[in-house]
Amino acid sequence: MDALRTFAVSIMALVVCAAATGQAAPTAGLPSPSLNDQLIAAATSGDAAAVEQLLEKGANIEAKDNLGWTPLIWAAYQGHTDVVNLLLEKGANLEAKGKSGQTALHEAGYMGHTDLVMQLLEIGAKISESDKREWPALPEAASQGNLEAVETLLAKGASINAKDENGETALIRAASAGQVDVVKLLLEKGADLEAKASAYPFEGDTALIEAAYEGKADAVQALLDAGANIEAKASAYPFEGDTALIEAAGRGKSDVVTLLLAKGANIEARDKNGWTPLIQAGDMGQPEVLQLLLAKGANINAKGKDGNTALHWAINEQHPDAAKVLEDHGAQ
């Protein structure tokens, strides 16, 4: 569908250029664009003046293209608020649907135009059943830290555990972005604390894992306070078996490592390769994290499934500072 949308936008651009010059679209075999084609193209490109002129000339405000999309749907998809407002003032059907059931509200939400989504909801746009199941409007608003939008979407019926195109819920997106106020609100409203992303490359990630990976300590704290499973494991390559601690260690997120250890995270947890947080930190060259882990008693000579230790990987990946920390602590 995304490829089809991109192709349709490119064709619309040709039509807009042709309409602006009064010439036929410069594509072999295509007829001169009709008023309706020009209207859809103008709405897509955000040309409000052209939209108004074409409507005055008799273009059909509910004209549809091969996707079944009206000018309003296209304007919403592209985030052209002025064109959306103009079309609505002229009587465009707010609930017009494309062939796959998409409305202007759905497409504005799909593309992350949160302010436009809010506006459409305020004037009565309805969240459909499909939107409740899988629609990025709520996750997108959550990632932006837009509390008002999150509250409004939930009040209008958006599912708190709906997933976006990457299979991530609003809670996962908010945690990953470090939007702590949104994280707390979603938890208060009953968001699934252990929901897992369901699409590559985030498959199996919980909100805690993603917050740890991104180094969002405040979000990690809020999730742990709510009872998040500190030993939950990711499942997508190349992170299979990673716990929050393993991910934070590899990324050098010292404050998160400190927090997770204080909360009782397993310092000897192992991923799919049998790597511990210490081995991961050695491989990624994180001397500060190595110091933290060793101070808490991490096994300096722990070996992965291949028999290699943190020191081996620090040397192999040419991380001299990390290797020195390990050698100074007696690594062999």
Side-chain angles (χ1 to χ4, degrees):
M1 179 59 75
D2 285 341
L4 186 56
R5 285 170 172 161
T6 301
F7 174 74
V9 170
S10 66
I11 292 299
M12 290 300 171
L14 290 173
V15 175
V16 169
C17 290
T21 59
Q23 312 225 343
T27 305
L30 287 180
S32 297
S34 67
L35 285 177
N36 290 345
D37 291 335
Q38 292 179 49
L39 177 60
I40 293 172
T44 303
S45 68
D47 190 341
V51 167
E52 188 157 21
Q53 291 172 4
L54 289 161
L55 289 173
E56 290 173 355
K57 290 180 179 179
N60 180 5
I61 200 169
E62 300 301 334
K64 293 191 174 186
D65 62 7
N66 60 341
L67 296 176
W69 287 21
T70 63
L72 181 65
I73 297 174
W74 272 112
Y77 173 78
Q78 297 287 61
H80 299 313
T81 303
D82 55 343
V83 175
V84 168
N85 290 337
L86 173 61
L87 290 166
L88 290 172
E89 288 171 8
K90 297 292 185 179
N93 179 7
L94 182 59
E95 299 299 332
K97 294 182 179 181
K99 291 181 179 178
S100 299
Q102 313 97 323
T103 63
L105 177 66
H106 177 97
E107 292 306 317
Y110 182 89
M111 294 301 291
H113 305 308
T114 304
D115 290 343
L116 182 53
V117 168
M118 295 290 289
Q119 178 181 326
L120 293 172
L121 285 171
E122 287 172 4
I123 63 174
K126 296 180 176 59
I127 296 176
S128 69
E129 287 303 314
S130 61
D131 291 339
K132 291 179 182 179
R133 290 192 299 272
E134 188 168 355
W135 185 46
L138 182 61
E140 185 66 25
S143 72
Q144 294 172 4
N146 193 330
L147 272 172
E148 181 185 1
V150 169
E151 290 177 323
T152 299
L153 285 162
L154 291 174
K156 295 289 186 179
S159 170
I160 197 168
N161 295 315
K163 295 183 176 181
D164 64 13
E165 64 274 15
N166 291 319
E168 296 181 292
T169 63
L171 181 63
I172 294 173
R173 290 284 300 277
S176 177
Q179 303 292 358
V180 181
D181 289 341
V182 176
V183 167
K184 291 178 178 178
L185 172 65
L186 291 167
L187 291 172
E188 289 171 5
K189 297 290 186 180
D192 183 355
L193 187 58
E194 301 302 331
K196 294 185 177 184
S198 55
Y200 183 84
F202 308 106
E203 188 174 0
D205 284 6
T206 61
L208 180 65
I209 290 172
E210 291 212 10
Y213 178 85
E214 295 294 344
K216 306 301 183 182
D218 289 345
V220 169
Q221 180 73 64
L223 293 164
L224 291 173
D225 288 346
N229 178 9
I230 203 168
E231 302 301 334
K233 293 190 173 187
S235 57
Y237 176 85
F239 307 112
E240 295 118 303
D242 282 6
T243 62
L245 181 58
I246 292 173
E247 300 232 335
R251 296 268 287 174
K253 307 301 183 182
S254 300
D255 52 348
V256 174
V257 169
T258 299
L259 174 58
L260 290 167
L261 289 173
K263 291 290 186 177
N266 181 6
I267 202 169
E268 301 299 335
R270 292 179 180 264
D271 67 9
K272 70 179 188 306
N273 296 314
W275 286 18
T276 63
L278 189 78
I279 297 175
Q280 183 79 315
D283 177 68
M284 298 300 291
Q286 306 294 353
E288 185 176 346
V289 171
L290 289 171
Q291 293 278 18
L292 288 170
L293 293 168
L294 290 169
K296 291 295 184 179
N299 179 4
I300 198 168
N301 293 313
K303 296 179 180 180
K305 290 179 180 179
D306 56 9
N308 294 315
T309 65
L311 179 60
H312 169 92
W313 285 111
I315 294 171
N316 186 63
E317 297 299 324
Q318 301 180 35
H319 299 306
D321 292 343
K324 186 176 187 306
V325 169
L326 291 162
E327 289 169 341
D328 288 348
H329 282 77
Q332 301 173 357

